[in-house]
Amino acid sequence: MESYKHILLAADFSEHGVTVADRAKDLAGKYQAKLSIVHVMDNLLITDAAYGSTIPFDLDLTAELMAVAKKRLATLAEKLNIAEDCRYMETGSPKLEIIRVAEENKVDLIVVGSHGRHGFALLLGSTANGVLHHAQCDVLAVRLHDE
Ligand code: AMP
């Protein structure tokens, strides 16, 4: 059995994210694998019709959200010693983007949490579930427990 060479951590910045990040880091160390990180800004949050009347689609708002997300990604990546060229900030569907980044970068293990930020994710079906069913590589869903 070959060991993992490239592990991708899917980070949603939820309160349990640290547990998922720690597991990915630990595995990367054990397998001496490259560790990458991806965060996807879910553009449903800003374009969904339900918000049309209260939050107009606003390029400034999008840019602002993107800047905050990039900063959070950089902070977490630095904490985990992940090089800049291994940090992926994407927009779109988290499930699809996580899988795309994994495929394009020959990732052989994706690490996700068993759940994340709830809300829209719950309505649409969980990201973890989607990644698990559609990824071509192995997926580790780190079991997270609510306090
Ligand atoms: P969910 O299925 O949305 O409850 O989230 C489960 C896990 O999927 C989280 O613990 C993260 O590892 C990953 N995930 C969810 N949303 C995102 C996102 N926007 N960007 C990156 N990873 C995500």
Side-chain angles (χ1 to χ4, degrees):
M1 191 186 76
E2 284 204 15
S3 64
Y4 295 116
K5 293 189 175 67
H6 191 180
I7 297 174
L8 178 66
L9 163 65
D12 66 351
F13 309 140
S14 62
E15 58 175 317
H16 294 298
V18 182
T19 310
V20 185
D22 285 350
R23 181 55 54 91
K25 176 88 183 151
D26 180 57
L27 286 172
K30 284 189 173 127
Y31 286 107
Q32 303 207 318
K34 176 172 158 180
L35 180 60
S36 293
I37 185 168
V38 60
H39 175 72
V40 185
M41 201 174 85
D42 193 338
N43 53 19
L44 274 177
L45 287 175
I46 44 178
T47 58
D48 190 87
Y51 286 86
S53 56
T54 48
I55 307 180
F57 182 70
D58 181 337
L59 285 180
D60 286 346
L61 175 65
T62 309
E64 220 168 282
L65 287 174
M66 188 68 149
V68 171
K70 273 188 180 159
K71 218 168 170 186
R72 284 181 148 193
L73 184 68
T75 305
L76 182 56
E78 268 155 36
K79 224 170 113 192
L80 297 168
N81 269 329
I82 297 176
E84 278 190 37
D85 62 348
C86 297
R87 302 173 191 175
Y88 300 93
M89 178 72 226
E90 310 295 334
T91 51
S93 150
K95 172 187 80 178
L96 295 180
E97 290 302 310
I98 292 166
I99 291 172
R100 185 181 62 73
V101 168
E103 282 172 8
E104 285 179 5
N105 295 282
K106 298 193 170 55
V107 162
D108 44 19
L109 178 67
I110 301 171
V111 180
V112 294
S114 60
H115 62 263
R117 286 169 303 158
H118 310 295
F120 278 98
L122 276 186
L123 284 177
L124 297 176
S126 92
T127 307
N129 205 33
V131 171
L132 201 59
H133 281 97
H134 299 287
Q136 311 248 334
C137 64
D138 288 3
V139 178
L140 172 69
V142 178
R143 175 68 59 208
L144 300 172
H145 303 279
D146 286 316
E147 305 277 296

